[in-house]
Amino acid sequence: MPNTDGAEAGALGDDNPSTRELIIRAARGCFADSGFEGTSLNDIAAGVGIRRPSLLHHFPSKDAIYGEVFEVALSDWIAQVERAASGEIMNGWEQVELVLDVSFQFFRHNSDFVRIMRREAIDTNSHLGFDLGATIRPHFERALDWFEREMTAGRFRRQDAEQLMLTGYGALLSYFSDAAFLDGLLDRDPLSDDSLHRLLEHTRSLFAATLEP
Amino acid sequence: MPNTDGAEAGALGDDNPSTRELIIRAARGCFADSGFEGTSLNDIAAGVGIRRPSLLHHFPSKDAIYGEVFEVALSDWIAQVERAASGEIMNGWEQVELVLDVSFQFFRHNSDFVRIMRREAIDTNSHLGFDLGATIRPHFERALDWFEREMTAGRFRRQDAEQLMLTGYGALLSYFSDAAFLDGLLDRDPLSDDSLHRLLEHTRSLFAATLEP
DNA sequence: GTCTATATAAGGATAGAC
DNA sequence: GTCTATCCTTATATAGAC
């Protein structure tokens, strides 16, 4: 007996998205643009093309929609970075470049998530049921241990790797989360191919200058 | 005829603050913690110790309170940085260190403003009547011109100064705006004296390594 | 699964007493 | 200058028809 939905229906990037998936997509844009309190169920419903009460047929509450939006994007991000970081066949610098590239591309193509994550990082009272920093912490510490081993092995110059990671991610996340601000600050489109290439090259050379022995 | 209020009454840091000033202080904390939409007039009024309608005797609307909170802090920041940047008696590197120190200390002691500014930078629809990026732009370009002159004079290595400033400020602003997130991520208090010293030293050495000829 | 209608609460702002 | 009482709007969520 054929299942018209299919087991994978609703996944991100689906070409024949379920209503549930359409809600997630519309909600992601709204939450990124206006934050949790600044987004009403009417806004999301309008983005989907249905009425407000219909949303709550698919999700029990606004919080539930928000939670799903966040968790889907967060697990996507973690999965991609972990995947890039686990192919430890390469030498130290190639590994750094790969993770940097993967993170960069993810942020570029998921800038809505970047802005939502930023809002969560700023808020004192998170709308999620968990501590974002504590969730990322094991991955962060694993990366830290890896840097420590590379430095001990002499493949990297000894550095404050923790601060370097905070600086690198802070700079990248800021660029994408604050793109609207940069659009007013700079005399160029911050999201043009040229600008993004320039950002990636600068970040790469920053890591290189800091780490090369 | 003595004036019990004094011409300067209500200025930030006042020891005998007016109600208007108390409102600004309470509002600044609320807007930083919860954002514009996440803050109700009840929240602010509770912080002052008065009732909601009493707020609107001092300010015409919630937007007016928000605008005043933001403009006071923004002009404070610009004034301090411009003051540090205009004493051009020093050589290039001392100038960079001074502006970096002044910015760092300002962010440290005005982390509420940093979080509000970040929220404004993220939001597509600002609650202010002006473009934050465009407002800062002349100061940003002045700094850029200065870097250009220093590099041309050979006192700095030739660099992508624009990206360097974006990275530096992005990293600093992120650290302070996301302190709550860092508290969960790191195995230490991100706002302890030690942590802040470590951050400043790292940022300083990052600029030094990038700029020294 | 989507709709209209409705319950209920909260928010911003105003009127007017003190 | 602060208060209570009130108006109006918007928001989340539910009930029940189709």
Side-chain angles (χ1 to χ4, degrees):
Chain A
M1 167 174 168
N3 182 344
T4 52
D5 276 4
E8 305 295 318
L12 272 91
D14 198 326
D15 275 347
N16 188 15
S18 61
T19 302
R20 192 185 159 88
E21 169 60 16
L22 291 175
I23 292 171
I24 292 295
R25 291 183 193 177
R28 185 168 45 217
C30 290
F31 288 136
D33 284 349
S34 313
F36 182 82
E37 284 91 355
T39 296
S40 76
L41 292 180
N42 272 331
D43 297 331
I44 301 172
V48 180
I50 59 179
R51 299 285 188 172
R52 188 172 67 241
S54 305
L55 292 178
L56 300 175
H57 174 79
H58 300 271
F59 295 90
S61 67
K62 181 182 173 181
D63 288 83
I65 298 176
Y66 184 78
E68 175 116 347
V69 163
F70 196 85
E71 282 176 36
V72 166
L74 178 62
S75 60
D76 262 24
W77 178 41
I78 292 179
Q80 287 198 32
V81 173
E82 284 294 305
R83 188 158 160 278
S86 62
E88 301 224 17
I89 333 156
M90 304 174 239
N91 69 38
W93 176 245
E94 283 175 352
Q95 183 74 63
V96 170
E97 273 197 316
L98 178 62
V99 172
L100 191 60
D101 279 359
V102 167
S103 297
F104 185 89
Q105 297 303 337
F106 182 84
F107 295 158
R108 173 181 189 168
H109 294 113
N110 296 271
S111 62
D112 281 352
F113 170 65
V114 172
R115 285 188 292 158
I116 296 174
M117 186 168 57
R118 246 286 138 63
R119 292 181 188 277
E120 278 297 322
I122 297 174
D123 283 359
T124 50
N125 295 331
S126 162
H127 306 102
L128 304 167
F130 61 93
D131 182 332
L132 178 59
T135 303
I136 297 178
R137 185 165 171 167
H139 306 95
F140 185 78
E141 292 186 339
R142 198 179 141 220
L144 216 52
D145 290 345
W146 180 83
F147 270 111
E148 186 61 32
R149 287 197 303 274
E150 293 292 310
M151 291 189 295
T152 300
R155 286 188 287 271
F156 287 153
R157 186 143 43 97
R158 186 148 290 279
Q159 271 297 329
D160 189 340
E162 188 168 299
Q163 286 293 339
L164 180 62
M165 287 179 65
L166 294 184
T167 295
Y169 268 98
L172 274 192
L173 286 170
S174 290
Y175 191 95
F176 287 105
S177 73
D178 301 1
F181 163 78
L182 294 180
D183 196 59
L185 183 73
L186 304 177
D187 191 22
R188 53 184 167 104
D189 173 11
L191 297 179
S192 71
D193 285 348
D194 278 0
S195 290
L196 292 175
H197 180 77
R198 187 170 157 186
L199 167 64
L200 181 55
E201 279 310 307
H202 178 263
T203 309
R204 215 193 305 253
S205 72
L206 185 146
F207 273 88
T210 308
L211 291 172
E212 64 189 5
Chain B
M1 168 173 163
N3 182 343
T4 52
D5 275 3
E8 305 295 320
L12 272 92
D14 198 325
D15 275 347
N16 188 14
S18 63
T19 302
R20 193 185 158 88
E21 169 60 17
L22 290 175
I23 293 171
I24 293 294
R25 292 184 192 177
R28 185 168 43 218
C30 290
F31 288 135
D33 284 348
S34 313
F36 182 82
E37 283 91 356
T39 296
S40 75
L41 292 181
N42 275 330
D43 297 331
I44 301 173
V48 180
I50 59 179
R51 298 285 187 172
R52 187 172 71 238
S54 305
L55 292 178
L56 300 175
H57 174 78
H58 301 271
F59 293 91
S61 69
K62 182 183 174 183
D63 289 83
I65 299 176
Y66 184 79
E68 175 116 346
V69 163
F70 196 86
E71 283 177 34
V72 166
L74 179 62
S75 59
D76 263 24
W77 178 41
I78 292 179
Q80 287 197 31
V81 173
E82 284 293 305
R83 189 159 159 276
S86 62
E88 302 225 15
I89 332 159
M90 306 173 238
N91 68 39
W93 176 246
E94 283 175 351
Q95 183 75 62
V96 170
E97 274 197 314
L98 177 62
V99 172
L100 191 60
D101 279 359
V102 166
S103 297
F104 184 89
Q105 298 303 336
F106 182 84
F107 295 158
R108 172 181 188 169
H109 294 113
N110 295 271
S111 63
D112 281 351
F113 171 64
V114 172
R115 285 189 291 159
I116 296 174
M117 187 167 57
R118 246 286 137 63
R119 292 181 187 279
E120 278 296 323
I122 298 174
D123 283 0
T124 48
N125 293 332
S126 162
H127 306 103
L128 303 167
F130 62 92
D131 181 332
L132 179 60
T135 303
I136 297 177
R137 185 166 171 169
H139 306 95
F140 184 79
E141 292 187 339
R142 200 180 137 216
L144 216 52
D145 290 344
W146 180 82
F147 270 110
E148 187 60 34
R149 287 199 302 274
E150 293 293 310
M151 291 189 295
T152 301
R155 286 187 287 271
F156 288 153
R157 188 144 41 97
R158 186 147 291 278
Q159 272 297 330
D160 189 340
E162 189 168 297
Q163 286 292 339
L164 181 62
M165 287 179 64
L166 293 185
T167 295
Y169 269 97
L172 275 191
L173 287 170
S174 290
Y175 191 95
F176 287 105
S177 72
D178 301 0
F181 163 78
L182 294 180
D183 197 59
L185 183 73
L186 304 177
D187 191 23
R188 53 184 167 103
D189 174 11
L191 297 180
S192 71
D193 285 349
D194 277 0
S195 289
L196 292 176
H197 180 77
R198 187 171 158 185
L199 168 64
L200 181 54
E201 278 311 306
H202 179 264
T203 309
R204 216 193 303 255
S205 73
L206 184 146
F207 273 87
T210 308
L211 291 172
E212 63 189 6

